[in-house]
Amino acid sequence: MRRYLALCLPWLATDRRQRDHPGDARPMAAIVKRNAALVLAAVDRRAADLGIRSGLTLADARAQLPELAVFDLDRAGDQALLASLADACERYTPMVALDAHGDGLILDITGCDMAHAGGEAGLCDDLCRRLARLGLTANIALAGTPDAASALGRYPAAGDDVLALPVAALDVEAESLSALRWAGLKRIGDVAPLPRPALAARFGAAMTARLARLLGEQDVRIVPRRQPPAIAVESRLADPILHSAAALQVIAGLSNRVMADLAVQGLGGRRFELALFRTDHHVARLAVDTALPLRNAKAIVRLFVERIDSLADPLDPGFGYDLIRIAVPVAVPLAALQLPLEGGAVAAETGIAALIDQLSTRMGRNSITRAMPGDSHIPEQAAFDLPAIETPPPMVWPVPESGEPPLRPLYLFDPPQRVEVLAEVPDGPPRRFKWRAQIHEVLRHEGPERIAAEWWRRRDGQGLTRDYYRVEDARGRRYWLFRHGLYGREKAHPNWYLHGLFA
């Protein structure tokens, strides 16, 4: 059986406001503009105890409670706080999802309670203490399905009894909810014994499916915000760490454990993620990638040190890190290496990979690139840049004939630059061209090399044929020119372009 924990924050907006303004003891509410009127979107506990409910207009609320303090609802700020709480709750389980109602979290804690003294009760107590330090009021509920846990969290009066939940927990439309209440069905326990086909015919299949999930007859698993990694190790610290040097020692120990797990499974890591949990809800996350599968603890520690040193904002331990975790979200098979008899090949390959790892970690993943051949006959699409740290696809560069000059220049203009060309005949080779206000006399030329456009681009002048020429001017400099369009067939007066320069 699976176990789910629902964290419901019914006063999230007002708790956040109260935390930012601790001296204000007045009842408060968040307002939004709806149909040209100001409406209460959220109220705090003090206002709720005095009969103020969400959905009231501001005028009606002020008539009942003149001292009510109001502020504009900040949905983006509330959701950002909820997201940070979801990150912090990953200290309990990697399976964390946002509640569909937008005011809480759902945690799959199956088997995770063993890591805490007191089991589930100890886990809940620790979570409540941390939320209290943040000034947040929460309802925590446990159940066998995420729907049941969420409903028990939103209706705490039911305790842990699903049958005691009000029928509003079925999340049906207002008309259906009124019909259920008019029929005397006020609680889930009143609806559960009724025939399901009759309920589906009257209220729809979605209502019976929701009822089955509340009663534990169906378990629709949550979709976590982050995919759980294949391998993860962590260290829970009784005394929070306040200095980076001590944190690096813990990271080194965790790296050794990660490598041991990778070795047992015959894997090598391609991506390593470090999570530093502070005693408050803040979580610092760092990731490093490797060009080749890696199973070297010292190399991983060096990359993490490089990553930490390259941060624009240095890590701030605050009141200390009490949990440090290293995860391997990307791992591939890594067999033992067979060293060649002549030696040196493996060392050279790993040395280049280590250099790429270090530079990419220091300067950014996309700062170090490698050229890869593309599957296209169009020159500007025949090669593309790929982050050097990624594994290149199995493609081969075309090999030029021995002793022949290169067919393509090393440098291409993007886009090609327009030039003025003089030719003996309209469809003949260039004899002179003007580029950047300079005249270049053509002494030698090779071509044409005709390249047709892709068939799906043969419209609106984008699919014209190109005739390429390799030319050399009087100073010995070599250029790559093309005439865009066949003279008299595709275009009356084709334009000329300079596409590249030979070394």
Side-chain angles (χ1 to χ4, degrees):
M1 295 182 60
R2 307 193 70 83
R3 295 290 288 171
Y4 296 91
L5 183 149
L7 175 64
C8 184
L9 300 164
W11 323 106
L12 177 63
T14 53
D15 282 350
R16 178 167 163 260
R17 174 76 175 187
Q18 183 64 40
R19 188 179 62 174
D20 297 338
H21 300 80
D24 194 349
R26 295 174 298 170
M28 62 179 58
I31 58 173
V32 294
K33 190 173 183 180
R34 187 181 303 163
N35 297 329
L38 295 178
V39 180
L40 304 189
V43 299
D44 67 351
R45 185 184 293 274
R46 290 166 296 184
D49 292 340
L50 295 173
I52 305 300
R53 296 289 181 267
S54 300
L56 285 176
T57 63
L58 178 59
D60 292 340
R62 280 275 170 80
Q64 299 181 42
L65 191 64
E67 67 271 19
L68 180 68
V70 298
F71 60 94
D72 292 332
L73 181 67
D74 182 11
R75 295 188 186 276
D78 295 340
Q79 291 302 310
L81 176 58
L82 194 61
S84 66
L85 291 176
D87 289 340
C89 284
E90 290 185 12
R91 68 170 54 247
Y92 304 110
T93 172
M95 305 287 287
V96 180
L98 298 178
D99 193 295
H101 297 86
D103 60 352
L105 306 172
I106 303 293
L107 284 65
D108 186 344
I109 60 170
T110 306
C112 298
D113 56 329
M114 300 179 62
H116 300 269
E120 288 184 352
L123 188 152
C124 294
D125 290 342
D126 183 74
L127 179 56
C128 288
R129 286 194 299 270
R130 294 180 183 277
L131 291 173
R133 288 200 294 266
L134 295 175
L136 299 176
T137 304
N139 298 328
I140 295 178
L142 299 169
T145 65
D147 293 75
S150 176
L152 292 172
R154 287 187 294 117
Y155 300 98
D160 57 356
D161 185 5
V162 174
L163 297 178
L165 287 169
V167 289
L170 292 172
D171 292 338
V172 294
E173 297 178 355
E175 181 181 355
S176 299
L177 184 60
S178 298
L180 287 170
R181 290 171 176 169
W182 182 83
L185 306 175
K186 298 181 179 181
R187 301 188 179 277
I188 298 298
D190 301 331
V191 182
L194 300 180
R196 302 298 170 83
L199 288 174
R202 174 62 179 86
F203 301 103
M207 183 266 207
T208 56
R210 169 73 172 175
L211 178 61
R213 293 196 296 270
L214 286 176
L215 297 176
E217 298 170 358
Q218 295 180 8
D219 179 10
V220 179
R221 308 291 176 83
I222 65 173
V223 179
R225 298 171 65 248
R226 291 187 178 85
Q227 187 66 24
I231 295 176
V233 297
E234 63 183 31
S235 177
R236 297 181 180 271
L237 307 167
D239 296 325
I241 291 177
L242 299 174
H243 303 286
S244 300
L248 289 176
Q249 293 181 359
V250 177
I251 293 172
L254 292 176
S255 299
N256 290 325
R257 291 169 54 188
V258 166
M259 299 309 151
D261 291 345
L262 289 172
V264 170
Q265 301 184 31
L267 301 174
R270 288 292 314 279
R271 183 177 179 84
F272 299 85
E273 293 181 350
L274 172 67
L276 302 165
F277 294 78
R278 289 197 323 212
T279 51
D280 56 7
H281 71 282
H282 182 268
V283 182
R285 298 181 183 276
L286 303 173
V288 295
D289 298 287
T290 61
L292 297 176
L294 195 61
R295 207 159 62 203
N296 186 323
K298 294 183 178 179
I300 293 301
V301 173
R302 285 197 299 268
L303 290 178
F304 277 128
V305 172
E306 193 76 43
R307 182 75 178 88
I308 293 172
D309 292 342
S310 64
L311 292 176
D313 296 326
L315 288 177
D316 180 15
F319 291 102
Y321 301 118
D322 61 349
L323 173 62
I324 299 178
R325 177 184 297 149
I326 293 181
V328 188
V330 181
V332 297
L334 178 62
L337 293 176
Q338 176 65 46
L339 297 177
L341 294 178
E342 64 275 11
V346 174
E349 182 180 6
T350 56
I352 294 176
L355 178 61
I356 292 175
D357 295 345
Q358 184 177 8
L359 293 178
S360 299
T361 301
R362 179 185 303 175
M363 304 174 63
R365 177 186 180 85
N366 298 321
S367 298
I368 309 299
T369 61
R370 71 173 90 206
M372 296 301 301
D375 189 12
S376 176
H377 68 282
I378 304 301
E380 58 267 26
Q381 300 176 11
F384 59 93
D385 290 337
L386 192 71
I389 205 165
E390 292 186 7
T391 303
M395 299 185 70
V396 181
W397 289 101
V399 179
E401 297 183 15
S402 177
E404 294 294 326
L407 300 179
R408 297 286 189 272
L410 292 177
Y411 182 81
L412 292 180
F413 292 109
D414 184 22
Q417 298 190 8
R418 179 77 180 273
V419 294
E420 299 177 10
V421 171
L422 176 66
E424 292 182 353
V425 293
D427 57 352
R431 293 301 182 187
R432 178 187 304 143
F433 67 93
K434 182 179 181 181
W435 176 51
R436 294 181 177 175
Q438 292 187 2
I439 303 298
H440 299 264
E441 298 288 341
V442 176
L443 297 185
R444 300 177 181 86
H445 72 270
E446 294 177 324
E449 177 189 359
R450 181 160 292 177
I451 298 179
E454 292 109 337
W455 60 268
W456 58 88
R457 294 185 182 274
R458 289 186 174 275
R459 62 182 185 275
D460 301 331
Q462 298 181 7
L464 301 180
T465 303
R466 304 179 187 179
D467 280 348
Y468 278 89
Y469 291 89
R470 297 184 295 275
V471 302
E472 181 179 325
D473 66 2
R475 298 184 179 181
R477 293 175 293 191
R478 305 185 70 231
Y479 305 89
W480 204 34
L481 305 174
F482 72 89
R483 180 175 51 239
H484 195 211
L486 298 178
Y487 179 77
R489 291 168 55 187
E490 295 181 345
K491 204 169 183 181
H493 300 285
N495 297 322
W496 285 83
Y497 295 90
L498 176 62
H499 202 172
L501 304 176
F502 288 91

